[in-house]
Amino acid sequence: MTDFLLEIPSAVPDSGLKQLFVKSPPFVVDYSDSVHELVMWGDPVGGDEFVTDQDVVIDPVSLISRVRGHYYFLILNRKERELFAGNSLFSILPIYYCEKEGEVVLSGNALELGRYAGLDTVSRRFVLETVLFNYPLFNHSIIERINLLPSNSHMEVRQGSVKLVRHTATEDLFSADPLPWRRAGESVNAAFLDTVKKYIPAGKYLNAFTGGLDSRTLVAAGMAAGGDMLCFSFGAPGSKDVEIPDLVTGEAGLPYLKILLDDDYVRMGSLDNGIEFILNASGTASFVRGHYLYAAKILKRHSDCMITGNFGSELFRAANVRGVTLSPNLVSLFSSNSADEAFEVIRGSSQFSSLAKGAFDEEWDQLKQSLLTLPCFNRNYRELTRNERFYVFIFEEVFRKYFGAEMVNQYIHLKNRTPFLDAEFMKIILGTGYAGVYSEFFEKNPFKRYKGQVLYAQIIREAAPQLGKMITDKGYCPDDLLTLAGRLKVVRGYVRKKSRPLDPATDLFSVGRAFRHNAEFFRKVFVRPGFFNQEIMADSGQVANSTLYTILSLSIAMAAAEDREIPLRRNPKNDI
């Protein structure tokens, strides 16, 4: 659905845009008039209305501000002899580019672009960043000389030159005087319900339904809108992400599809989908997220469009979850009192020790200079609070580097619509105290954090009141957030959760089971001595941790970058 490869000459071509494509995607919007030509692909929600508006200005800024969804675009202005190439707000679907024989070549996949351009040198800088932070922080790709288009930017070609232009500054979306959240509820509720309607397609669509509040709020909004909705979730048998939706949809009379990551998935779906996930994501993510691809292949039988709660928690609630999304080293960058302090912590981390000793000294020196440009150290952001600086990075980099990897995989099979990231709704929510950006940095006080969940409960009560009375994976109901007695119940649950250690055996998506089942394969993955510390690989088929997962996944992607064969167990059920 989004696979493409195109060549842009340094001089704006007289020929039509579609002739630039070496590999052409299915275009959703294909428009031409006496001055402009525009093609869009992916999922430009409202793209047809944009081009038929008589008063519209066809340029990147107008397009991105008016067209919802996740998509790519090319605009040719014949009169001004200029060409624009870019992607939607926050650049969730990636654009990789390189120069080849005087032309700029673009693709949605760095590995495919490398094969086409004859580039196969692995970027050590990319490897360093990915090991330290779970994904690359900056715009390097896995292949040298292939770069990622920066967030909220587009490419301009005019008068024989190519330049990158930033079209949206995230910090400009923040408010210096947000409306207190207790006064904003009614207007925000209405705005959200109206926003969701714009994303619901005419036919049957899928609505993600986990045990949490993001997806339940979207289900409630879908019920209020009256669309033809099929709820779905996936997870290991017995996990809350499948049991709670099963219970709630049964009581509410909603159609529901349960995708179990069971023994059959572990044996026949986990390895091939995990490897495919790595390659589709251009090496930016590990095989542990292959279940997203596995589920997408099943879901496409039912619809070509799904609505998910991606980005909701990050928008509403104060950041507080360290892990794969927010790695310890990333948190250290933004919580340290100085750059030197942060560098010392990172240099002493277990992630750094997993690299071959001395192998990345030059790249580490380069990376430290780049880290100084981040909002946490860059003086251009000194007027923002620590949390606001952190949120600039979350919006511009975490969104596309972490969530983008799963979404680019999903978009091969079906569209993932994310109403929480709607540009107009974001302006509204960021104008109120509901937004997590206005909380304290890594706020832990449950009395202060709870306001980030109140909005969910308010929307659910207005849209589908029955869903507010049913339990969530937090152990309480959405309606509990709206009463004093309920809030005390929420706090008691929070205290119990903090006092109870996490169960290391919890395997909600069968990641550990899949790793153990495929241990024979992972023992055979070649992990290069010149890149990685071989001592930590000694028990690679038995010891499970996120750094090991990252290194094994990088090793698979590195083999693909160099066009070497990857041992892949073929399975006739791989394509579901």
Side-chain angles (χ1 to χ4, degrees):
M1 185 180 293
T2 56
D3 192 19
F4 70 96
L5 188 67
L6 66 102
E7 295 181 340
I8 299 178
S10 57
V12 175
D14 293 322
S15 59
L17 291 179
K18 287 180 284 188
Q19 295 183 40
L20 302 177
F21 285 86
V22 178
K23 176 185 286 186
S24 180
F27 298 114
V28 181
V29 173
D30 185 357
Y31 171 80
S32 182
D33 60 28
S34 60
V35 175
H36 299 96
E37 187 175 353
L38 165 66
V39 293
M40 303 176 70
W41 62 102
D43 185 31
V45 180
D48 290 334
E49 291 84 350
F50 174 77
V51 296
T52 55
D53 186 339
Q54 298 297 315
D55 298 323
V56 73
V57 177
I58 298 181
D59 64 19
V61 174
S62 298
L63 187 151
I64 291 165
S65 66
R66 295 275 301 274
V67 182
R68 297 173 161 84
H70 304 289
Y71 53 85
Y72 298 104
F73 66 86
L74 279 181
I75 300 173
L76 173 63
N77 186 319
R78 299 185 185 92
K79 181 179 179 181
E80 302 296 333
R81 296 196 61 78
E82 56 189 9
L83 186 149
F84 307 95
N87 45 13
S88 46
L89 188 67
F90 297 117
S91 309
I92 305 301
L93 299 180
I95 293 180
Y96 294 96
Y97 66 95
C98 70
E99 185 177 346
K100 179 179 183 287
E101 299 175 353
E103 297 183 330
V104 177
V105 189
L106 310 181
S107 178
N109 186 283
L111 296 170
E112 183 171 351
L113 180 53
R115 285 190 289 271
Y116 178 76
L119 302 174
D120 60 5
T121 302
V122 170
S123 167
R124 301 179 72 88
R125 174 67 179 271
F126 175 93
V127 171
L128 174 63
E129 291 180 18
T130 304
V131 170
L132 294 181
F133 303 103
N134 294 328
Y135 42 75
L137 289 196
F138 296 97
N139 295 315
H140 300 272
S141 83
I142 192 168
I143 299 175
E144 288 284 358
R145 295 176 53 197
I146 294 178
N147 294 306
L148 178 66
L149 185 71
S151 179
N152 285 338
S153 300
H154 64 266
M155 185 175 289
E156 285 187 6
V157 181
R158 56 158 62 100
Q159 297 179 349
S161 67
V162 179
K163 67 176 181 178
L164 306 182
V165 178
R166 189 184 188 202
H167 56 69
T168 302
T170 298
E171 60 273 20
D172 290 346
L173 301 175
F174 301 160
S175 172
D177 186 26
L179 182 68
W181 66 271
R182 294 183 187 277
R183 291 166 43 196
E186 187 174 338
S187 60
V188 174
N189 293 353
F192 182 75
L193 293 175
D194 183 59
T195 295
V196 173
K197 290 178 184 177
K198 296 171 183 175
Y199 286 85
I200 295 177
K204 177 178 285 188
Y205 74 96
L206 301 144
N207 201 312
F209 196 1
T210 67
L213 286 165
D214 297 309
S215 59
R216 187 173 302 196
T217 304
L218 286 170
V219 170
M223 292 172 67
D228 185 4
M229 174 174 57
L230 171 61
C231 300
F232 76 90
S233 68
F234 51 84
S239 67
K240 291 181 179 179
D241 270 356
V242 292
E243 296 307 315
I244 289 179
D246 199 359
L247 173 67
V248 173
T249 54
E251 292 188 17
L254 296 170
Y256 172 60
L257 173 64
K258 180 192 295 187
I259 300 175
L260 289 177
L261 304 176
D262 53 13
D263 289 341
D264 285 343
Y265 163 73
V266 168
R267 290 195 308 268
M268 297 183 289
S270 61
L271 181 59
D272 289 0
N273 282 287
I275 293 172
E276 189 181 343
F277 191 95
I278 297 168
L279 304 183
N280 291 339
S282 302
T284 63
S286 77
F287 57 79
V288 302
R289 296 165 70 191
H291 50 273
Y292 286 99
L293 181 59
Y294 173 81
K297 292 175 180 178
I298 294 174
L299 293 170
K300 71 178 181 181
R301 298 174 184 171
H302 302 273
S303 174
D304 68 348
C305 180
M306 65 178 175
I307 292 180
T308 72
N310 285 16
F311 314 111
S313 296
E314 291 72 25
L315 186 59
F316 285 4
R317 286 180 274 180
N320 193 44
V321 180
R322 296 168 173 84
V324 178
T325 310
L326 305 177
S327 68
N329 284 330
L330 177 61
V331 174
S332 294
L333 282 174
F334 282 85
S335 58
S336 297
N337 293 318
S338 68
D340 288 340
E341 178 185 325
F343 297 162
E344 184 177 353
V345 172
I346 294 171
R347 190 69 176 81
S349 68
S350 60
Q351 290 79 18
F352 207 107
S353 66
S354 71
L355 298 164
K357 188 173 182 180
F360 289 87
D361 288 349
E362 182 179 344
E363 289 76 19
W364 173 236
D365 287 340
Q366 295 170 357
L367 176 57
K368 286 190 291 185
Q369 294 304 308
S370 296
L371 293 175
L372 294 176
T373 68
L374 293 178
C376 49
F377 304 126
N378 189 330
R379 289 187 57 80
N380 291 335
Y381 298 91
R382 62 184 179 274
E383 300 301 322
L384 302 181
T385 67
R386 185 192 293 259
N387 200 46
E388 287 172 338
R389 295 195 296 271
F390 189 45
Y391 266 80
V392 169
F393 184 83
I394 289 176
F395 287 174
E396 294 189 352
E397 303 300 340
V398 175
F399 279 4
R400 67 189 185 127
K401 301 292 178 56
Y402 182 77
F403 295 106
E406 72 188 48
M407 291 178 66
V408 78
N409 270 275
Q410 292 166 332
Y411 263 75
I412 295 171
H413 301 283
L414 73 169
K415 299 168 287 195
N416 180 350
R417 295 186 173 178
T418 58
F420 286 111
L421 205 62
D422 179 83
E424 290 301 316
F425 178 69
M426 283 191 68
K427 290 178 184 177
I428 293 171
I429 196 71
L430 288 170
T432 75
Y434 280 117
V437 65
Y438 306 123
S439 300
E440 292 298 317
F441 182 69
F442 271 79
E443 179 64 75
K444 296 181 177 63
N445 186 328
F447 289 101
K448 294 183 178 180
R449 283 183 57 81
Y450 107 101
K451 59 98 174 177
Q453 301 181 66
V454 168
L455 182 58
Y456 294 120
Q458 292 172 335
I459 294 171
I460 291 169
R461 172 171 284 188
E462 180 172 337
Q466 65 270 44
L467 298 187
K469 306 178 189 306
M470 303 178 197
I471 198 166
T472 68
D473 59 4
K474 303 291 186 183
Y476 52 80
C477 303
D479 279 359
D480 288 332
L481 294 158
L482 303 178
T483 66
L484 177 59
R487 290 196 289 271
L488 293 175
K489 179 181 176 182
V490 171
V491 172
R492 285 197 297 269
Y494 174 85
V495 172
R496 284 197 298 269
K497 179 180 177 182
K498 297 298 288 185
S499 63
R500 185 172 61 247
L502 290 174
D503 181 3
T506 301
D507 194 8
L508 300 180
F509 299 110
S510 296
V511 170
R513 291 170 60 209
F515 183 71
R516 291 189 294 273
H517 176 78
N518 297 307
E520 184 69 21
F521 169 85
F522 288 115
R523 289 192 189 98
K524 296 177 181 178
V525 172
F526 176 61
V527 177
R528 299 189 199 183
F531 281 77
F532 306 113
N533 182 344
Q534 297 300 293
E535 293 181 9
I536 72 164
M537 306 308 300
D539 298 316
S540 63
Q542 299 170 358
V543 181
N545 62 71
S546 61
T547 302
L548 176 62
Y549 294 156
T550 298
I551 290 174
L552 288 170
S553 299
L554 276 170
S555 298
I556 291 169
M558 289 160 66
E562 296 174 341
D563 209 18
R564 292 188 290 111
E565 183 177 355
I566 303 168
L568 181 60
R569 179 172 57 86
R570 296 295 175 187
N571 184 339
K573 292 190 177 182
N574 182 43
D575 202 29
I576 310 300

